[in-house]
Amino acid sequence: MAKGTDDTIAVRIGKALADRIISGAIEPGARLRQDHIAEEFNTSHVPVREAFRRLEAQGLAVSEPRRGVRVAAFDLGEVKEVAEMRAALEVLALRHAAPHLTSAILDQAEEATKAGDKSRDVRSWEEANRAFHRLILTPCGMPRLIATIDDLHAASARFLFAAWRSEWEARTDQDHRAILVALRQGNTESAAATLGRHVQWIGRKPVRTASGATREAFTIVG
Amino acid sequence: MAKGTDDTIAVRIGKALADRIISGAIEPGARLRQDHIAEEFNTSHVPVREAFRRLEAQGLAVSEPRRGVRVAAFDLGEVKEVAEMRAALEVLALRHAAPHLTSAILDQAEEATKAGDKSRDVRSWEEANRAFHRLILTPCGMPRLIATIDDLHAASARFLFAAWRSEWEARTDQDHRAILVALRQGNTESAAATLGRHVQWIGRKPVRTASGATREAFTIVG
DNA sequence: CGATCCAAAATTATAGATAATTTTTTCATT
DNA sequence: AATGAAAAAATTATCTATAATTTTGGATCG
């Protein structure tokens, strides 16, 4: 995966900030100060502002005119919303991708599933999970649909990292396997139905807040 | 509808350019030169560049590093893609909106349908159509979903204006009426099914190209 | 006549400077 | 100590200037 060294500076900054927001390195609600970021990346603030517009469009940041840009906050409602949007769109993508899925692709997807089951931290689990979904969906040949799904995956990953920052225990992903079996049998509708349920499975877990109290954290697991 | 005079200049330029691209005032593939646009709006090119990033995210423009920004081209494939995405997402939105639909809202939606039937040009038909969809979907209370649907509507409108720039003949919208009847009866699933079919209805029409030949133009009608 | 190379013009991308606004701090007053 | 106004500092938004790249328009050669 090329690090895109010929990208414009604004694009590079946008990717770097997106990664920090998704990983939780920057807290929800935190201010993004253009001069500070510009200084850190050794640029002027002009490309930083362009990067902000991109983050805004992805739903990772919110901007108020003359008041600055903040990392987008999120709540259980948004977790559910993203899950349902993903369900609707990934099912659509899978229906179109199914006729173009080769057994080579399905083998790769199975590898990704195994990698997910073996992973010992959230980060690598998320990577494997994303690879699985991307592999079976990309052959739909609908670039706008894929781009929208990618943004939703970014949001999902953010929720995931927020809930399971440190302690993570991989479990074998039966849904992924059931989807692959159905696809190998040419049973697209069954695969689509399982996928739709799969991405709407919301994990919950108690988390200690800054104030010491415990609350429930929710996230899309799939 | 406030013209947003306290928006940032970049936002104003973005809206103005989006309107031109959607209406077809600027051709697909046309270059958007930042200095020219800056001069026209009496600004520097910095806010223009920010506006470009927004248009890019909406799928209305495409940018190649150091080569500039162009109005996005589109083909039958993209018309279909947008129609299917709309079907999937509007059905989802309607299922969530249905419990919150009051008869006042449904009356407004009926007014919008009548306005559409009466309209004598594409532009006002499109406006009425968009009002109908927005009215019955917004109560879903899912902001990200609504924002995504709005971008898809913008794309739909663009296809519509490209196919029916001048000659337009309104027809009475039976689908809208069927949807309203189902919603009034509390039959959400029937309404959703009709809506899903409705936005996938693709209109076709012969169009004379610049070179004099005729080709088929396609667009989402709904 | 057409292809190709080169210089001039135009254009994009970034930097540095300035005006306008918001946030923070200070300090007098209750 | 709490409140609130005023001044100072920080920050955003925009403009002007400059460097880097691409496009354009010939001139030259086959």
Side-chain angles (χ1 to χ4, degrees):
Chain A
M1 197 181 292
K3 188 57 170 65
T5 96
D6 57 333
D7 278 348
T8 187
I9 292 181
V11 172
R12 278 210 300 278
I13 295 178
K15 287 180 182 171
L17 290 179
D19 189 67
R20 286 185 204 175
I21 294 172
I22 293 165
S23 69
I26 323 182
E27 296 273 306
R31 289 189 66 171
L32 297 171
R33 292 191 192 79
Q34 57 187 31
D35 287 11
H36 298 195
I37 295 167
E39 194 175 7
E40 183 194 337
F41 286 88
N42 276 299
T43 65
S44 86
H45 60 256
V46 179
V48 175
R49 292 180 58 83
E50 290 184 40
F52 284 171
R53 298 292 90 83
R54 240 175 70 96
L55 295 173
E56 238 186 304
Q58 290 177 102
L60 294 176
V62 290
S63 155
E64 284 185 284
R66 305 234 158 238
R67 313 268 321 261
V69 176
R70 299 177 169 275
V71 176
F74 61 87
D75 56 16
L76 175 58
E78 202 181 329
V79 175
K80 284 181 175 165
E81 183 173 0
V82 168
E84 302 208 46
M85 290 179 70
R86 272 188 59 192
L89 294 183
E90 293 201 23
V91 164
L92 173 60
L94 184 59
R95 288 212 177 95
H96 284 272
H100 305 110
L101 290 175
T102 64
S103 51
I105 295 174
L106 294 175
D107 289 349
Q108 282 182 271
E110 183 153 358
E111 285 309 310
T113 302
K114 284 179 187 162
D117 291 351
K118 279 207 294 273
S119 55
R120 329 209 80 248
D121 54 55
V122 226
R123 184 122 204 176
S124 49
W125 181 87
E126 194 280 324
E127 206 176 312
N129 184 255
R130 184 154 37 87
F132 173 85
H133 287 262
R134 197 196 301 270
L135 276 165
I136 63 171
L137 300 180
T138 303
C140 70
M142 296 161 87
R144 186 176 193 134
L145 176 57
I146 291 296
T148 305
I149 290 173
D150 277 345
D151 283 350
L152 293 171
H153 266 268
S156 291
R158 192 153 103 93
F159 306 151
L160 186 75
F161 292 142
W164 269 277
R165 184 86 60 103
S166 39
E167 351 73 35
W168 169 264
E169 208 174 311
R171 72 230 123 62
T172 68
D173 203 321
Q174 293 305 340
D175 282 347
H176 283 194
R177 293 195 156 75
I179 291 165
L180 289 176
V181 168
L183 289 174
R184 286 210 166 90
Q185 293 172 344
N187 195 342
T188 303
E189 279 317 304
S190 162
T194 306
L195 178 64
R197 247 184 294 109
H198 172 63
V199 302
Q200 289 197 68
W201 174 254
I202 296 192
R204 57 205 76 209
K205 147 178 201 308
V207 167
R208 240 178 313 281
T209 64
S211 58
T214 58
R215 61 171 178 78
E216 284 259 276
F218 298 90
T219 188
I220 303 162
V221 185
Chain B
M1 193 180 292
K3 188 57 171 65
T5 93
D6 56 334
D7 279 348
T8 187
I9 292 181
V11 172
R12 278 210 300 278
I13 295 178
K15 286 179 181 171
L17 291 179
D19 190 68
R20 287 185 202 173
I21 295 172
I22 292 166
S23 70
I26 323 181
E27 298 271 306
R31 287 189 66 172
L32 297 171
R33 290 190 192 81
Q34 57 185 35
D35 287 12
H36 297 195
I37 294 168
E39 196 175 5
E40 183 194 337
F41 286 88
N42 276 300
T43 66
S44 86
H45 61 255
V46 179
V48 175
R49 292 179 58 82
E50 288 183 41
F52 284 171
R53 297 293 90 82
R54 240 175 72 96
L55 295 173
E56 239 186 304
Q58 289 178 104
L60 294 175
V62 290
S63 157
E64 285 185 282
R66 307 234 157 238
R67 312 269 321 260
V69 176
R70 299 175 169 277
V71 176
F74 60 88
D75 56 15
L76 175 58
E78 202 181 329
V79 174
K80 285 181 175 166
E81 182 174 1
V82 168
E84 302 209 46
M85 289 178 72
R86 273 188 58 192
L89 293 183
E90 293 201 22
V91 164
L92 172 60
L94 184 60
R95 288 213 178 96
H96 284 272
H100 305 109
L101 290 175
T102 64
S103 52
I105 295 174
L106 294 174
D107 289 349
Q108 281 182 272
E110 184 154 359
E111 285 310 308
T113 302
K114 284 178 186 161
D117 292 351
K118 278 208 294 275
S119 55
R120 329 208 81 248
D121 53 54
V122 225
R123 184 120 202 178
S124 48
W125 181 86
E126 193 279 324
E127 207 176 311
N129 184 254
R130 186 153 37 87
F132 173 86
H133 287 262
R134 198 197 300 271
L135 276 164
I136 63 170
L137 299 181
T138 303
C140 71
M142 296 161 87
R144 186 176 195 135
L145 176 57
I146 291 295
T148 305
I149 290 173
D150 277 345
D151 282 350
L152 294 170
H153 267 266
S156 290
R158 192 154 104 92
F159 306 152
L160 186 74
F161 292 142
W164 270 278
R165 181 87 59 106
S166 39
E167 351 77 33
W168 169 262
E169 208 174 314
R171 69 230 126 60
T172 68
D173 204 321
Q174 292 307 342
D175 282 347
H176 283 195
R177 292 193 157 76
I179 290 165
L180 289 176
V181 167
L183 288 174
R184 285 208 167 90
Q185 293 173 345
N187 195 341
T188 304
E189 278 317 304
S190 162
T194 305
L195 178 65
R197 249 186 290 107
H198 173 63
V199 303
Q200 288 196 69
W201 174 255
I202 295 192
R204 57 203 76 209
K205 147 179 201 305
V207 166
R208 240 180 312 283
T209 64
S211 58
T214 58
R215 61 169 177 80
E216 283 259 275
F218 299 90
T219 188
I220 303 163
V221 185

